[in-house]
Amino acid sequence: RPQLVSTRVVGRRQGDRQFELEAGAIADEGEWVRIDAIQHGVLYRDGAVFVTFTAKAGRWHRQSNDLVLTGDVALVYEDRVRLYSDRLEWRAEEERVVSPGPVMLTMDGDVIRAASMEADLDEEVVRLRGDVRIERAGGGRIQIAEVVYWLEEDRLEGYGQGQVLVVPGGGEPGER
């Protein structure tokens, strides 16, 4: 099958641009298009840049406009929130970004790790689930079942049983 090198891919749904990316190479694989070395990826919301992304590889489903990114995936929201995962799925019809596996999110010096993540672009809300661990920049740790992050309000909410470890002075536990 033919393969194109150094190319741009634009995903549209009902005429509206949903994503755009630069790729080192793309190749036709039937209903899917394989994409290698993804750089300068953009997800759009209401015609404006919503998040940017990079990944080692991906697959784009022509009919549904779904996009699956794999390998060192990095997603950036407003240059203040960064999300890292080995796999991210853009579900075009629902306008959702999903990571079925472990994710790490950084914001304002805090680091949040979770077993999975789902983001609803329409609501601008990110749900982190499964053994969520928050390492606060100023010290301390929180462990909880689920965290909901409201992007527009820059607000975190925790749900389920959890633990909070407060460390005076921002040091590590056991340090004096």
Side-chain angles (χ1 to χ4, degrees), residues 6-167:
S6 297
T7 189
R8 182 175 222 53
V9 176
V10 178
R12 294 183 183 276
R13 182 158 183 82
Q14 298 174 344
D16 294 329
R17 182 172 56 173
Q18 283 193 317
F19 72 85
E20 191 170 323
L21 59 87
E22 292 178 15
I26 65 170
D28 185 345
E29 294 183 345
E31 292 184 16
W32 289 86
V33 174
R34 189 187 79 235
I35 308 167
D36 297 327
I38 298 169
Q39 296 294 318
H40 309 292
V42 178
L43 282 179
Y44 292 94
R45 181 168 176 250
D46 299 327
V49 172
F50 188 69
V51 294
T52 60
F53 62 90
T54 59
K56 282 187 179 178
R59 290 169 40 94
W60 170 48
H61 190 259
R62 289 185 180 131
Q63 189 169 6
S64 68
N65 208 37
D66 289 352
L67 180 67
V68 178
L69 305 173
T70 55
D72 294 333
V73 181
L75 187 126
V76 179
Y77 171 77
E78 289 187 352
D79 214 24
R80 64 183 170 89
V81 178
R82 298 183 187 304
L83 186 134
Y84 303 95
S85 180
D86 281 331
R87 180 183 175 99
L88 271 182
E89 301 170 3
W90 164 247
R91 298 180 181 169
E93 187 172 338
E94 304 165 15
E95 291 199 332
R96 290 189 189 275
V97 177
V98 175
S99 177
V103 306
M104 180 176 75
L105 186 137
T106 63
M107 58 184 207
D108 302 325
D110 294 346
V111 176
I112 304 172
R113 298 175 200 280
S116 66
M117 181 275 315
E118 183 174 310
D120 183 319
L121 270 57
D122 197 38
E123 293 180 18
E124 293 193 32
V125 63
V126 178
R127 288 177 174 79
L128 300 152
R129 294 187 175 109
D131 194 26
V132 180
R133 298 171 184 262
I134 303 170
E135 298 170 21
R136 300 299 315 251
R141 295 188 188 129
I142 300 168
Q143 184 175 340
I144 196 159
E146 179 179 357
V147 167
V148 176
Y149 177 41
W150 299 91
L151 295 168
E152 185 68 28
E153 301 167 28
D154 198 24
R155 177 175 52 111
L156 290 173
E157 296 175 358
Y159 296 93
Q161 286 190 321
Q163 295 179 339
V164 177
L165 175 62
V166 179
V167 182

